[in-house]
Amino acid sequence: MTSFIDLDLSKGKDVISKHIYGHFVEHLGRCIYNGLWVGDDSPIPNTRGIRNDIVEALKAVKIPNLRWPGGCFADNYHWKDGIGPREDRPCMVNTDWGHVVENNHFGTHEFMDLCEQLETEPYICGNVGSGTVQEMQQWVEYLTFDGQSPMANLRKKNGKDEPWKVQFFGVGNENWGCGGHMKAETYAEKYRQYQTYVNNYSGNNILKIACGPSEADYHWTEVILRECMNETQQLKNSTHDKPIHSVWEYYRPQMWGISLHYYVRNRLKYTSATKFDESLWFEYMQRTLYMDELITNHSNVMDQYDPDKKVALVVDEWGSWYQPEPGTHPRFLFQQNTLRDALIAGVTLNIFNNHCDRVKMANIAQLINVLQALILTDGSEMLLTPTYYVFDMYKDHQDSTLIPLDLETRDYLFGDGNIPVVNASASRNQEGKVHITLCNLDPNRSEEITCNLKGENAISSVNARILTAAAMNVCNTFEQPEQIKPCNFDDIKAQENEISIVLPAKSVLAIEISFK
């Protein structure tokens, strides 16, 4: 059977935010220390302690934003411990991730320096679980106030005269779990209180993100939307002829987004990242596709309170989660990254693209040496994972207009289960080029695909890159760092407004189409 895709280029209206392609670093295992941060006295080439090769690799994939300091670590983190001379910073115990000693050498100034080197937007997660309202207010003031104040003066004393710009601020993390084990109603009250003091200083405009649900907790989403979002009708210029309750509604909490966390994993039995058979390939493809159901259902709840889609769904933790690699610390969450993870990334990003009317931001977990990492390091060595290459292949979707597609494809059958073979998304950039990203979830069979493009002149050129391998579990290692990487793909036929493809088994394909 041939799969069919119809694209009507006249129907695109929603923009795929570049922030869907965001990332996440936490004080966890070797993500920061012995990962991106080596210290300025390291023989590994660095700029003020931050590895140059990592910065170069991330800029190549157009990293749009970076979330920090957690994760669970955020709700144990007290930011004042991470400023000032490093030798004077107090140590703490990282109770979330292995009870190792955290020396706080990587703090606010180092993180903001990293974002400046990457030319990316910082996304800071504040401490609601064990922190105070004053602590959060002072952090925002320290970061963004341009003037005379206790926190601005402290920042200047620590070497930064001009304030930073901070666009995204998360008010807590996983407050239903490691961030305090709160009920939705309790957190809603906390959010209303804490966000009040996340102020806009000196022309900086912060987009506030509420802690959202874990997976399919639709009750949590409903409570937060009901209690914490702005009313649609607000006072504009005058209040003298408005009811008193309307004055109150005008000052209700502001919420730009609400988060969602979902990992592709089996909580009852974590399995190996590299040693798996087709049954586990199929299971993890099923679990990946579940993201579409989650986003659809949470969006439906949000639509009841926010039909105009003013509040963003922010999937700020997602990715695969397996057993840690043998011989590594079990709480450092270091895992390998195979072709299977490339498919997980490709399918998930296609899902985000297709829901870009509601999903405005996402952050894969995590950037380096933790969970579904883009980069692995070993001392001075660094390698790029299959997941990294998917982000590279998909980067042209950033800030492009989504082209809705009609997809007809066969099912991949395994045991009693079935899933669609082909997963796809498409966009059109400002130069008029169309980008289509395709995933073949069947590890055994290639798939013929015919794609019709309506509403444009005839095709003038087609270019494509593919990521695949002979086996499902192929990965890059420090002994063989380039076993799997993209290459040019020529098995495409184009005529007028139609392209034909033979998409190899277990592959990710990125196509660029230009028109006459």
Side-chain angles (χ1 to χ4, degrees):
M1 174 182 173
T2 299
S3 293
F4 295 94
I5 297 175
D6 285 328
L7 287 174
D8 189 339
L9 303 183
S10 67
K11 291 185 176 180
K13 60 183 181 67
D14 296 312
V15 173
I16 298 170
S17 171
K18 66 180 180 180
H19 291 294
I20 284 174
Y21 291 81
H23 298 276
F24 172 32
V25 292
E26 183 172 5
H27 293 245
L28 195 174
R30 295 191 298 110
C31 184
I32 291 175
Y33 302 108
N34 297 312
L36 66 88
W37 174 260
V38 293
D40 50 19
D41 59 350
S42 172
I44 299 172
N46 69 87
T47 301
R48 294 179 295 278
I50 298 164
R51 286 183 63 146
N52 294 341
D53 52 0
I54 288 176
V55 169
E56 181 181 358
L58 294 175
K59 288 178 71 173
V61 297
K62 299 182 179 180
I63 176 174
N65 68 74
L66 186 60
R67 182 174 182 246
W68 172 84
C72 292
F73 184 82
D75 282 288
N76 276 310
Y77 184 64
H78 301 283
W79 68 270
K80 287 184 180 179
D81 293 342
I83 60 174
R86 293 191 194 105
E87 62 272 15
D88 296 337
R89 298 180 189 178
C91 294
M92 63 175 284
V93 177
N94 190 332
T95 54
D96 290 297
W97 305 117
H99 285 77
V100 296
V101 174
E102 159 71 52
N103 63 19
N104 280 306
H105 282 192
F106 188 91
T108 297
H109 288 253
E110 291 77 17
F111 174 70
M112 298 303 290
D113 184 16
L114 170 64
C115 290
E116 289 177 348
Q117 291 187 39
L118 291 170
E119 301 174 8
T120 194
E121 296 287 346
Y123 171 15
I124 288 178
C125 188
N127 182 347
V128 171
S130 67
T132 65
V133 173
Q134 181 184 33
E135 183 179 18
M136 189 174 290
Q137 180 274 322
Q138 289 183 335
W139 200 6
V140 175
E141 180 183 323
Y142 184 91
L143 285 159
T144 63
F145 184 63
D146 183 12
Q148 295 294 319
S149 77
M151 293 301 104
N153 292 342
L154 180 59
R155 183 192 69 240
K156 295 171 185 177
K157 178 182 176 182
N158 288 329
K160 186 69 169 66
D161 290 337
E162 299 299 321
W164 293 286
K165 293 293 185 182
V166 176
Q167 185 174 10
F168 302 107
F169 197 96
V171 182
N173 167 78
E174 293 192 359
N175 298 101
W176 37 262
C178 61
H181 290 96
M182 301 176 193
K183 294 180 179 180
E185 293 77 7
T186 303
Y187 173 74
E189 291 299 316
K190 289 275 190 181
Y191 179 84
R192 291 164 67 99
Q193 179 187 16
Y194 276 66
Q195 71 80 38
T196 304
Y197 301 94
V198 178
N199 295 309
N200 289 327
Y201 295 109
S202 309
N204 185 72
N205 183 39
I206 290 179
L207 303 179
K208 304 172 190 178
I209 299 169
C211 169
S214 172
E215 301 184 4
D217 187 351
Y218 304 115
H219 171 74
W220 185 284
T221 299
E222 181 175 9
V223 170
I224 304 308
L225 266 290
R226 185 183 69 224
E227 299 297 327
C228 298
M229 68 169 288
N230 280 337
E231 291 296 304
T232 302
Q233 299 298 323
Q234 298 181 351
L235 299 184
K236 294 184 179 179
N237 300 316
S238 173
T239 62
H240 71 277
D241 60 346
K242 302 291 183 180
I244 294 296
H245 70 82
S246 293
V247 178
W248 163 242
E249 298 296 357
Y250 180 71
Y251 290 102
R252 287 189 72 177
Q254 298 177 1
M255 179 173 60
W256 176 78
I258 180 171
S259 68
L260 169 65
H261 289 183
Y262 173 67
Y263 288 95
V264 176
R265 59 179 168 176
N266 185 335
R267 290 176 179 270
L268 300 178
K269 185 180 180 182
Y270 286 89
T271 56
S272 170
T274 57
K275 298 177 181 178
F276 58 88
D277 58 16
E278 188 176 350
S279 67
L280 288 173
W281 170 280
F282 183 83
E283 175 187 333
Y284 277 71
M285 292 301 108
Q286 282 185 312
R287 292 179 181 275
T288 302
L289 290 167
Y290 182 54
M291 179 69 84
D292 187 73
E293 179 180 331
L294 288 173
I295 292 173
T296 298
N297 291 345
H298 283 293
S299 295
N300 288 339
V301 175
M302 296 173 73
D303 286 346
Q304 297 175 34
Y305 299 92
D306 177 36
D308 295 328
K309 301 185 188 297
K310 301 293 186 183
V311 178
L313 187 60
V314 178
V315 191
D316 59 16
E317 289 190 29
W318 68 271
S320 57
W321 193 325
Y322 310 110
Q323 293 173 347
E325 290 299 304
T328 65
H329 194 300
R331 294 296 287 169
F332 283 8
L333 307 186
F334 176 77
Q335 64 188 39
Q336 252 295 357
N337 199 289
T338 70
L339 177 60
R340 179 174 64 174
D341 297 291
L343 269 293
I344 289 172
V347 170
T348 302
L349 292 172
N350 282 338
I351 291 170
F352 292 161
N353 290 346
N354 290 326
H355 284 281
C356 68
D357 61 335
R358 181 63 83 177
V359 178
K360 303 297 184 182
M361 187 172 175
N363 304 80
I364 189 171
Q366 289 184 13
L367 192 63
I368 303 167
N369 293 329
V370 172
L371 297 176
Q372 193 173 350
L374 274 71
I375 294 172
L376 303 181
T377 65
D378 183 10
S380 62
E381 295 185 85
M382 183 195 84
L383 66 78
L384 306 177
T385 69
T387 296
Y388 173 91
Y389 290 120
V390 170
F391 273 81
D392 187 47
M393 295 166 68
Y394 277 54
K395 65 187 177 185
D396 290 312
H397 285 307
Q398 293 188 24
D399 284 341
S400 294
T401 300
L402 177 74
I403 306 299
L405 54 80
D406 291 323
L407 170 63
E408 180 183 338
T409 187
R410 67 177 173 87
D411 281 343
Y412 162 37
L413 307 175
F414 187 87
D416 296 330
N418 61 282
I419 57 176
V421 166
V422 177
N423 177 272
S425 67
S427 68
R428 188 174 192 176
N429 67 14
Q430 293 182 351
E431 290 74 39
K433 293 182 179 180
V434 169
H435 294 94
I436 305 173
T437 46
L438 300 164
C439 298
N440 183 347
L441 280 62
D442 190 330
N444 304 308
R445 291 174 53 188
S446 61
E447 183 72 2
E448 295 182 6
I449 301 173
T450 298
C451 183
N452 295 303
L453 296 97
K454 304 174 183 176
E456 186 49 273
N457 295 330
I459 295 168
S460 64
S461 65
V462 179
N463 298 293
R465 288 197 299 161
I466 193 165
L467 185 70
T468 189
M472 296 182 289
N473 63 343
V474 171
C475 61
N476 291 330
T477 66
F478 291 100
E479 294 74 27
Q480 295 178 291
E482 296 189 349
Q483 288 197 99
I484 175 170
K485 61 186 300 186
C487 62
N488 292 333
F489 182 75
D490 299 321
D491 200 358
I492 299 180
K493 297 178 182 178
Q495 55 181 5
E496 295 298 325
N497 292 95
E498 181 180 285
I499 61 173
S500 299
I501 308 157
V502 178
L503 184 61
K506 55 185 182 308
S507 65
V508 181
L509 182 68
I511 305 170
E512 180 180 87
I513 304 172
S514 299
F515 300 89
K516 295 178 180 178

